[in-house]
Amino acid sequence: MKLVTFNVNGIRAADRRGFRPWLETTHPDILALQEVRCPVDQIPEDIFAGYHVAYDPGELAGRNGVALISRAEPRDVRIGLVGDEEFGHEGRYIEADYDLEIGNITVASLYLPKGAVPQESEAAQAKFERKMRFCVTLADHFRSSVARAEKAKRHYTCLGDYNIARTQQDLYNHKSKKPLDGFLPEERTWLTNTLDVGLSDVVRALHPDDQGPYSWWSWRGGSWDRGYGWRIDYHLTTPDLAERAVFGDTDKAESYEARISDHAPVIVEYQ
């Protein structure tokens, strides 16, 4: 079983940059997309031909949007986080249940909000606090999801753009003395503690001693050519399924010009 997470930074732009050939070549069982950024009626025609599509575009024009693209038809689809009254309209979380050969599984696609360095301004403080409120709600949702999956004898995995580099191995510039949004102590502690609800960082488990593998590089400043990357796209998975992972890595494009997005897909294969 091949699961992939991919922040496409706009599906229409990704289509122009080669998304369709990539999808045909990669042929995932389930693909979690973030930042689809497209109304339902404007999704490029037949771009997901042969797949089932579950999509929450949200209500913010031209922003966010999460989707699950699957070869198997989902049994049930749920949008939003349990107990959330602030972010549900933004198109940030969708999950679906599937019955597959590897077992029954719930797969989620997540786009966690960007934050800011709170010391920089009052607006930055507010943006940081907003991100952390989402994180608290997400942690509660994870507890519910893991418990629900265990009760139903179902695997659970949340694929997506977490906008946090969890460890020094996840950021090229981890020795920076300047506070960095996405690498703040509060963010890193939250994500590490969140794993304690019963989730495994699958790619890190497969690359315990490696720097990276990074999944995001800025379009600007020569970040790609210099290897100035971040690992912010994760597969967080219940241990019973995580133990069956045989491959996990970033599907990095061959060149800057061949990039489909500022993110690269992250692929995990299970036996």
Side-chain angles (χ1 to χ4, degrees), residues 229-243:
W230 294 56
R231 189 175 81 97
I232 57 176
D233 300 271
Y234 296 88
H235 291 236
L236 300 190
T237 303
T238 45
D240 50 348
L241 179 60
E243 291 172 358

Side-chain angles (χ1 to χ4, degrees), residues 10-71:
I11 192 63
R12 289 169 287 190
D15 190 27
R16 295 192 295 270
R17 296 182 180 122
F19 176 85
R20 293 185 203 225
W22 171 84
L23 181 60
E24 182 177 352
T25 300
T26 306
H27 200 52
D29 291 283
I30 302 174
L31 168 63
L33 297 179
Q34 302 86 41
E35 284 202 272
V36 180
R37 293 163 58 177
C38 185
V40 173
D41 61 358
Q42 295 181 30
I43 291 178
E45 186 176 1
D46 296 329
I47 192 170
F48 303 126
Y51 287 87
H52 298 276
V53 179
Y55 178 37
D56 177 22
E59 300 175 10
L60 304 178
R63 297 173 57 191
N64 307 341
V66 287
L68 291 165
I69 315 302
S70 60
R71 285 194 271 166

Side-chain angles (χ1 to χ4, degrees), residues 1-5 30 32 68 78 93-98 100 102 104-110 141-142 145-146 148-149 154-160 162 198-203 234-242 245 266 268 270:
M1 180 180 70
K2 182 186 292 186
L3 302 184
V4 183
T5 184
I30 302 174
L68 291 165
R78 296 173 293 278
Y93 183 92
I94 187 170
E95 67 179 30
D97 298 332
Y98 303 91
L100 306 177
I102 199 169
N104 298 337
I105 183 171
T106 298
V107 180
S109 179
L110 168 74
H141 182 88
F142 279 156
S145 295
V146 170
R148 176 178 175 273
R154 190 176 279 277
H155 307 299
Y156 174 81
T157 182
C158 184
L159 287 55
Y162 284 71
L199 295 170
S200 174
D201 179 352
V202 179
V203 174
Y234 296 88
H235 291 236
L236 300 190
T237 303
T238 45
D240 50 348
L241 179 60
V266 179
V268 173
Y270 298 91

Side-chain angles (χ1 to χ4, degrees), residues 163-188:
N163 270 312
I164 297 171
R166 188 172 67 88
T167 73
Q168 293 185 354
Q169 293 169 264
D170 301 320
L171 172 62
Y172 81 96
N173 193 25
H174 61 267
K175 294 182 180 180
S176 172
K177 295 181 179 179
K178 178 182 178 181
L180 299 172
D181 171 33
F183 195 64
L184 299 173
E186 298 91 338
E187 297 169 321
R188 297 169 58 204

Side-chain angles (χ1 to χ4, degrees), residues 116-129:
V117 177
Q119 299 92 329
E120 292 182 348
S121 67
E122 290 185 7
Q125 176 73 34
K127 193 173 182 181
F128 166 77
E129 291 177 354

Side-chain angles (χ1 to χ4, degrees), residues 212-226:
Y214 301 140
S215 62
W216 179 84
W217 301 259
S218 172
W219 287 115
R220 299 174 293 180
S223 294
W224 172 268
D225 293 330
R226 297 174 183 177

